[in-house]
Amino acid sequence: QVQLVESGGGFVHAGGSLRLSCAASGRTFSTYAMGWFRQAPGKEREFVAAITWSLGSRYYADSVKGRFTISRDNHKKTLYLQMNKLKHEETAVYYCGAGGFALVPTTEGSYDYWGQGTQVTVSS
């Protein structure tokens, strides 16, 4: 089992920045990649960004390219998402996910573990 705990959400004005963190614990040696997804009210969960744990290959949704940066600290077993120039429509609960070698980084259904989510609210 892998436990994931997100933090760093909050309230920000449009155009502002936030940095999300996701601390992993448990059987993390089996983790191939981790990612961030978000779910706005009344909408399905959508892919935001992902990174492979060993090589650091990065994947981004088109809507966040150039504004969001995903990174990880292998020693601290922590995933980060730096979000800049936030938009009102990006208000959502942001979830951290992790999975093993069968994981497709951009596909929600292939993730094995999820955190509880952290709320990001962007005012217009």
Side-chain angles (χ1 to χ4, degrees):
Q1 292 280 359
V2 175
Q3 293 78 43
L4 304 172
V5 179
E6 302 100 330
S7 61
F11 177 91
V12 64
H13 294 289
S17 299
L18 280 175
R19 188 194 195 202
L20 305 183
S21 299
C22 175
S25 60
R27 297 173 62 86
T28 58
F29 61 84
S30 64
T31 298
Y32 166 68
M34 295 182 69
W36 291 97
F37 286 70
R38 64 189 178 192
Q39 187 167 19
K43 295 187 177 180
E44 294 186 352
R45 192 174 298 190
E46 65 174 359
F47 170 74
V48 176
I51 188 168
T52 58
W53 208 246
S54 58
L55 295 179
S57 300
R58 293 172 169 82
Y59 306 82
Y60 294 99
D62 288 343
S63 60
V64 306
K65 285 180 181 176
R67 298 186 297 117
F68 289 16
T69 303
I70 190 169
S71 62
R72 86 272 191 242
D73 184 322
N74 288 10
H75 180 68
K76 294 182 178 179
K77 299 180 181 179
T78 301
L79 179 73
Y80 302 100
L81 184 67
Q82 177 66 43
M83 305 186 294
N84 298 328
K85 299 180 181 179
L86 280 160
K87 304 176 182 179
H88 173 65
E89 55 267 34
E90 293 178 314
T91 293
V93 177
Y94 283 69
Y95 296 91
C96 167
F101 286 99
L103 185 145
V104 176
T106 59
T107 303
E108 178 189 0
S110 67
Y111 283 72
D112 299 314
Y113 306 103
W114 292 98
Q116 81 289 348
T118 185
Q119 176 70 46
V120 172
T121 302
V122 185
S123 66
S124 57

